[in-house]
Structures are given as C-alpha cells and as structure tokens.
C-alpha cells in the first residue's frame, strides 16, 4: 500500500473508475447478448425495440472510453445488418 496521501487517493480513485468501467462493459455485453438472442429467435419486433438501446449503449461505451470508436462503428454496422436480415 502507498505511504503518500496523494498515492493513496490515486489507488482509491483508480479502483472506483475500474469498477465503473467494468459496469459499463458488462452492460454493453448484456445488451448485445439480448439483441443477438432476439435476432436468432427471428423476433423482428423485439429486435427493433432493442436496436435503439443497443446503439445507445455502444455509443455510451465509446464516450466513456471503454471501446474504440472504430470498434463501435463495426459493432453498429453488424447489428444493423442483422436487423436488416431479420426484417427482410
């Protein structure tokens, strides 16, 4: 453990931020799994309702620095393609 007060604070702050990042990443994975489950089930109406939430969650992950913007663009492209296949 650190001896200096500022170092102790950095440890606490970094633990708090790590927990927040883990929460956001976990939520992103959960939303993506729900969306993919709806797609695999062939349920277009549920997939359409989850689409907006999924896009929003991906964008929030980018704004918090959890994933890279190109990674987000790829994910959004893929989920849009999935929705178009089910809808058609």
């Amino acid at each position: 453990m650190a001896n200096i007060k500022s170092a102790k604070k950095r440890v606490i702050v970094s633990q708090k931020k790590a927990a927040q990042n883990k929460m956001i990443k976990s939520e992103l994975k959960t939303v993506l799994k729900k969306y993919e489950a709806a797609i695999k089930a062939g349920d277009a109406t549920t997939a359409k309702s989850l689409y907006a939430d999924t896009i929003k969650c991906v964008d929030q992950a980018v704004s918090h620095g959890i994933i890279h913007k190109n990674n987000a663009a790829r994910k959004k492209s893929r989920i849009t393609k999935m929705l178009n296949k089910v809808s058609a």
Side-chain angles (χ1 to χ4, degrees), residues 13 17 20 24 28 30 38-39 42 45 61 63 72 78 80 85:
V13 169
K17 288 300 291 178
Q20 288 173 344
I24 293 167
L28 175 64
T30 303
I39 293 290
T45 56
S63 68
R78 287 179 179 173
T80 303
K85 269 187 186 175

Side-chain angles (χ1 to χ4, degrees), residues 52-82:
D53 294 335
T54 307
I55 294 292
K56 180 180 176 184
C57 194
V58 169
D59 287 336
Q60 284 177 341
V62 171
S63 68
H64 287 281
I66 306 302
I67 60 174
H68 193 270
K69 65 179 183 175
N70 292 350
N71 186 343
R74 185 176 64 245
K75 285 184 188 306
K76 291 193 293 188
S77 175
R78 287 179 179 173
I79 63 174
T80 303
K81 280 183 183 178
M82 287 184 216

Side-chain angles (χ1 to χ4, degrees), residues 9 12 15 21 26-27 31 35-36 43 73:
K9 183 178 179 184
I12 292 169
Q15 287 174 343
N21 291 344
S26 175
E27 182 184 357
V31 168
Y35 181 78
E36 289 173 7
D43 192 1

